Amino acid sequence: MTVSENGDERRSFRGGGAPRSGGPRRDNDGRGSRGAAGGDRRGGAGDNNRGGAGNSNRGGGFNGGQRRGGEGGFTPRGRDGDRNRQQARPDEPDLPDNVEPTELDPAVRRDLLSLDKDNANTVARHLVMAGKLVDEDPELALLHARAARQRAGRIAVVREAAGITAYHAGEWAEALSELRAARRMAGGPGLLAVMADCERGLGRPERAIELGRSDEAALLSGDEASELRIVVAGARMDLGQFDQAVVTLQTKDLDAARTGEAAARLFYAYADALVAAGRVEDGLKWFLNAAAADLEGDTDAEERVAELTGEDQ
């Protein structure tokens, strides 16, 4: 997933295959959401769900790609060589000594240059910890993200990081508030699919659909536009509008020759909507397409095929 937009520059604050902008969030057991577009909303945008759009990184902190130790100069040292750590505040989670601000993406660290160096170090380290913990312990990750926000609440990238982490922790209202703040500061469409899915999490699918119709949504393209469609289709299914969910996902990107995670997520969501609309044979076909496109095993499409064909009996 990317964070604050500034002109044409997209800044990732998670490493590896960082989530791009949205799609169904995975269940706690790591399985794919039946609600990739689905009515029970087992998933949401911007996590590493199996069966939805928006993957998360598989390791590393909020660091946007490979870790680059030593860049950025955010490690002042005293005469004795010890780190000059800013004193922790009482409500902040502990920071391990081996967590370095240089693990954060250089572009994100540049956004922290307006802060005092010691404070910038601490904020960066909290963001690194949030990124490292967001999959395995999202509640603790959120404490680190909140600590960063308390220290640097006027920096868009920090607010967006707090919003994404709150989203992973299931704190929909907090996530939505933080992501709105980040968009006001940075401009651009931001993480619109994540915001739309937060509306679903708050029981407001109509608002998710409105976001899908917004002017900002029209600025999205490629996988980001596809991910928003998946969330909007899920909102339609929340409302029992299964045929409309199918139509929402019918775009040129539904090309069975495509492979990769983004294609698999879209095919899976389309198959899920087709089954919900009573078009089981068509749904089976697209679950098969999702399984074929899913080169990394990010969805449970094969299991859905087995369910629909009775092979799991």
Side-chain angles (χ1 to χ4, degrees), residues 207-231:
R207 293 193 184 182
I209 294 169
E210 288 175 8
L211 282 174
R213 294 170 173 164
S214 66
D215 292 339
E216 293 91 342
L219 299 175
L220 299 177
S221 61
D223 290 346
E224 289 185 338
S226 179
E227 289 158 4
L228 180 57
R229 287 190 204 101
I230 290 173
V231 176

Side-chain angles (χ1 to χ4, degrees), residues 6-18:
N6 185 358
D8 294 329
E9 184 179 9
R10 304 278 303 179
R11 300 173 186 174
S12 173
F13 70 107
R14 295 194 65 185

Side-chain angles (χ1 to χ4, degrees), residues 55-227:
N55 67 323
S56 86
N57 74 308
R58 292 173 172 78
F62 287 96
N63 60 357
Q66 299 298 318
R67 291 183 181 175
R68 300 173 180 141
E71 294 186 46
F74 277 102
T75 313
R77 299 180 182 272
R79 287 178 297 178
D80 58 358
D82 293 333
R83 289 178 179 84
N84 197 10
R85 306 297 194 193
Q86 180 157 322
Q87 185 175 2
R89 298 175 184 177
D91 57 345
E92 292 183 351
D94 292 336
L95 284 166
D97 286 340
N98 64 348
V99 173
E100 296 287 352
T102 51
E103 295 180 55
L104 197 65
D105 180 78
V108 179
R109 295 205 310 274
R110 283 196 294 271
D111 280 1
L112 306 181
L113 286 173
S114 62
L115 302 175
D116 169 84
K117 279 191 175 183
D118 287 342
N119 194 31
N121 267 341
T122 304
V123 170
R125 294 174 70 221
H126 277 301
L127 291 180
V128 169
M129 285 302 299
K132 288 183 173 183
L133 293 168
V134 71
D135 288 328
E136 62 187 57
D137 192 345
E139 288 76 19
L140 181 55
L142 182 55
L143 293 180
H144 282 285
R146 286 170 175 167
R149 181 198 61 205
Q150 289 168 1
R151 289 174 172 271
R154 295 184 180 181
I155 296 177
V157 69
V158 174
R159 300 298 290 271
E160 192 160 311
I164 294 169
T165 311
Y167 174 86
H168 281 250
E171 296 290 344
W172 316 121
E174 180 177 353
L176 193 57
S177 175
E178 294 299 327
L179 292 174
R180 283 173 174 166
R183 286 180 66 201
R184 286 195 299 270
M185 295 173 180
L191 300 177
L192 203 61
V194 183
M195 295 174 65
D197 201 51
C198 287
E199 295 287 10
R200 290 182 65 201
L202 291 167
R204 302 188 301 224
E206 297 89 349
R207 293 193 184 182
I209 294 169
E210 288 175 8
L211 282 174
R213 294 170 173 164
S214 66
D215 292 339
E216 293 91 342
L219 299 175
L220 299 177
S221 61
D223 290 346
E224 289 185 338
S226 179
E227 289 158 4

Side-chain angles (χ1 to χ4, degrees), residues 293-305:
D294 187 5
L295 305 178
E296 301 295 330
D298 291 308
T299 76
D300 64 350
E302 291 184 355
E303 295 174 38
R304 296 299 303 276
V305 169

Side-chain angles (χ1 to χ4, degrees), residues 266-311:
L266 177 61
F267 298 169
Y268 186 105
Y270 187 52
D272 204 40
L274 286 165
V275 171
R279 297 168 57 181
V280 177
E281 289 301 318
D282 289 336
L284 176 59
K285 168 188 164 184
W286 281 98
F287 275 127
L288 287 167
N289 289 338
D294 187 5
L295 305 178
E296 301 295 330
D298 291 308
T299 76
D300 64 350
E302 291 184 355
E303 295 174 38
R304 296 299 303 276
V305 169
E307 289 178 7
L308 291 171
T309 59
E311 294 178 3

